Structure formats: structure tokens, C-alpha cells
Amino acid sequence: MPTVKSLDDLKKIREEALRKQQLKETSGKSEVIVGMGTVGIAAGARETLKAILDKIESDNLSDIIVRQTGNIGLDSFEPIVQVLLPGQEKVTYGKVNPEMARRIIDEHVVGGKVVTDYQIES
Amino acid sequence: MRELALHILDIAENSISAGAGKIRIYIAENLQDDLLKIVIEDDGKGMDADTLANITDPFITSRTTRKVGLGIPFFKAAAEACDGTFNIQSTPGKGTTVSATFVHSHIDRMPLGDITSTLMTLIIGSPEVHWIFEYQNGDHIFIFDDEPIKNTLGEIPLSEPSVMKFIRAMINEGLQEARDPERVEHQILTQS
């Protein structure tokens, strides 16, 4: 099947993203990690991660890396989300539903302020 | 778990934990034979015969001894609950293949569920893995391979908003075309 059209579209997206990158000073990338072990998935981790991806897309947020990982080892707090901002310690949040995930992106990842209401010890 | 897509996600997580570089997910719906088939194939570290023999036993798959593989007994039970079959093959150093079939029309068969969200989770969340997804509906097949996308993107991360939008649209359109080929007549964005 022809692939040319789609990859051409993607090349345009790449050019645009590169342009955007050059416009701002680089402060490093933020990382958001979602635990995706069996317990996490059963507790709704995929929906939590989806909410994070949708939020990034709808608010057009660049420089956020979203990762999934296996069992984080805190089963009773699943779904678990961890936020790692450049030069800061990792913050762990527990029982994160989609609404909480959106708040974490707004206040912590974008705003730089830890959402202490949801924070747990890891 | 109430969706087969969540089981697929869970099994694929095992493949990631096994250090797979390439993971292939295959889903086939065949209404003529009333069959739904799911295959998850990886090139990870594999398992020896002992581990393999025990892996479908939920009592041996205890989290204190081994974190990986907890979901396999669930997936097996889901298949067998609707007169399906379950098979796991593994070779140390070569990889593991998990396959299950389901009687498509069986009343206890879970819906496939949100395949796109499962794939987005895997593709965006584990970019170091080469993902191949194949969905077959009768004679119509949709193949998604993320390697050309990554090669084109270079240093741009997959979690870039416009990139995620592109990938999601590609998967949704491909699935839609394979599911309902007569309705979607325009050229679809698929990799071959």
C-alpha cells in the first residue's frame, strides 16, 4: 500500500514541531510516568494515561514525555502517576483518576506546583 | 477487566518487561467462522520450560515471587469462558507468543473495547519498542508499523501533540476502513 502521503504529512508535522522548539528556550523535558502493571490496568491506569495524552493534545503542550512502566510496587494506590520535572525530585501520586490527572498536568507539570492532595510516599 | 483491549495491554506489558525490541499484536475477526483471534508476539528474553508450565496457574503466579505474568491466567480464563483456546509458546533468548481464540458470538465474550487507547498507551508510552499492529476483518487487513513514523520524526518525541493526533487518526481510520470497507472509500493512511 502507498505510504507516501502519510509520511509527507508527518514530515510537515516534524518541521512545525522543530520550528516551535527553536522559538523557546529549552528548559529540559518534563516526564510523566504511569504505572501499567496488571493491578494498575484493572484499576483504570489506561484511562488515566489517556486523559494525560488528551490533555497534552488539547492544550497543545510540548516537551512533556509520557511513559508507561510495569508494576511500581504500590498496588493499593493504583493507578499511580509519577512526575519528574527537570532538576527536581520525582513526585508520586496515588489513585489518580482522569480528572485528577488533568489537574496534575495543569498545576504541577505546567504550573510547577506539587498537588499535595494526591501525593503519596513512594 | 471488561475489555479484551485491556487484556492485550496487560500481555504486551509482559513483553516489554521481557526486554522485547519488537512486539506484534494481531487481532482477527472472522464472522464466517464465528472466531476472534488475538496474538501477541515478542522477541524478548523468553521463558524456560518450567516457568512456561506454571505461567497459566494463578496460584503459582504469585506477585511475591514473580511480578510479570499475573495477567496471563486472566486472559486464559477469558478465552476459555467462551469456548475458546489459549496457547503460550516461549523459547529462552528468542521470545514469547501468546495466542487466544474466542467464539465471536459467545454470550460471555468480552467486547474488544478501546483498541486505539491500548495502542496509544503502548506506542507513546514505550517508544523504544518497535510496534506492529495488525487488524484483520475477513479479507480486509489494516497494518500499522510505527517504525517509518519514528524514522520520519527523528528527534521529535511521539508525545508531541500534533504527532499523537496524527497517530491516533491513522489507527482510527485504518480500523474503520478494515471494519467497514465500503463506507470508507478514500485513500487510507496505512503502512505496508
Side-chain angles (χ1 to χ4, degrees):
Chain A
M1 275 191 215
T3 64
V4 185
K5 186 178 179 287
S6 64
L7 290 179
D8 274 352
D9 290 344
L10 196 62
K11 274 177 196 151
K12 284 187 203 124
I13 289 171
R14 177 172 184 272
E15 300 300 319
E16 189 57 41
L18 280 172
R19 241 195 317 278
K20 213 163 73 181
Q21 240 174 28
Q22 281 162 357
L23 287 176
K24 7 176 224 207
E25 71 257 60
T26 41
S27 51
K29 293 201 189 325
S30 305
E31 215 176 316
V32 180
I33 305 153
V34 183
M36 206 62 67
T38 303
V39 179
I41 293 169
R46 190 191 66 185
E47 275 55 47
T48 299
L49 192 142
K50 180 178 190 293
I52 293 168
L53 298 185
D54 288 349
K55 176 81 180 158
I56 289 172
E57 215 178 293
S58 65
D59 292 7
N60 199 22
L61 307 170
S62 282
D63 291 329
I64 301 173
I65 303 290
V66 181
R67 304 215 19 104
Q68 54 148 356
T69 182
N71 202 315
I72 291 176
L74 298 157
D75 284 356
S76 50
F77 292 102
E78 297 280 4
I80 289 177
V81 172
Q82 295 180 314
V83 173
L84 191 56
L85 300 188
Q88 292 182 27
E89 278 197 35
K90 192 188 274 177
V91 176
T92 302
Y93 296 107
K95 297 191 177 173
V96 182
N97 63 33
E99 202 186 325
M100 290 159 73
R102 287 188 281 271
R103 195 180 148 197
I104 290 166
I105 297 296
D106 268 335
E107 294 182 20
H108 188 178
V109 180
V110 176
K113 200 163 162 284
V114 177
V115 188
T116 47
D117 298 358
Y118 310 152
Q119 198 180 357
I120 56 166
E121 294 298 318
S122 64
Chain B
M1 294 187 206
R2 293 191 189 87
E3 290 177 28
L4 291 173
L6 288 175
H7 283 279
I8 293 169
L9 176 59
D10 191 26
I11 303 298
E13 295 293 332
N14 296 338
S15 298
I16 298 169
S17 301
K22 184 173 169 182
I23 302 173
R24 174 178 168 263
I25 296 169
Y26 171 76
I27 300 173
E29 294 194 76
N30 189 335
L31 294 178
Q32 236 162 17
D33 299 338
D34 196 16
L35 216 62
L36 173 67
K37 184 172 187 180
I38 295 172
V39 180
I40 298 112
E41 187 182 358
D42 72 57
D43 63 354
K45 67 183 177 191
M47 285 170 281
D48 59 36
D50 278 354
T51 313
L52 192 61
N54 291 331
I55 197 138
T56 54
D57 185 340
F59 299 104
I60 289 174
T61 312
S62 135
R63 256 173 298 142
T64 52
T65 55
R66 182 163 47 83
K67 283 181 201 271
V68 171
L70 184 69
I72 287 174
F74 294 151
F75 191 44
K76 181 172 188 260
E80 288 171 352
C82 42
D83 299 332
T85 60
F86 176 88
N87 188 268
I88 179 165
Q89 287 181 326
S90 193
T91 312
K94 286 263 169 76
T96 301
T97 300
V98 173
S99 52
T101 60
F102 303 78
V103 172
H104 200 288
S105 64
H106 199 286
I107 191 148
D108 289 326
R109 183 183 65 80
M110 279 180 225
L112 262 178
D114 191 350
I115 292 292
T116 305
S117 287
T118 284
L119 294 177
M120 290 297 286
T121 300
L122 295 168
I123 296 162
I124 309 296
S126 291
E128 68 283 358
V129 175
H130 174 189
W131 293 100
I132 296 169
F133 170 66
E134 295 173 27
Y135 172 81
Q136 187 166 8
N137 177 27
D139 296 335
H140 302 276
I141 186 156
F142 164 57
I143 302 172
F144 176 90
D145 182 336
D146 75 348
E147 204 163 64
I149 294 175
K150 288 174 188 164
N151 289 344
T152 305
L153 282 175
E155 70 276 42
I156 301 294
L158 292 171
S159 51
E160 176 67 26
S162 49
V163 174
M164 289 200 288
K165 197 173 172 183
F166 175 88
I167 296 174
R168 184 180 296 116
M170 199 169 180
I171 295 169
N172 280 337
E173 284 176 34
L175 282 173
Q176 201 184 359
E177 149 120 339
R179 278 179 172 152
D180 198 353
E182 275 151 38
R183 208 164 57 91
V184 188
E185 283 184 346
H186 65 270
Q187 185 78 57
I188 281 293
L189 313 170
T190 45
Q191 306 295 331
S192 59

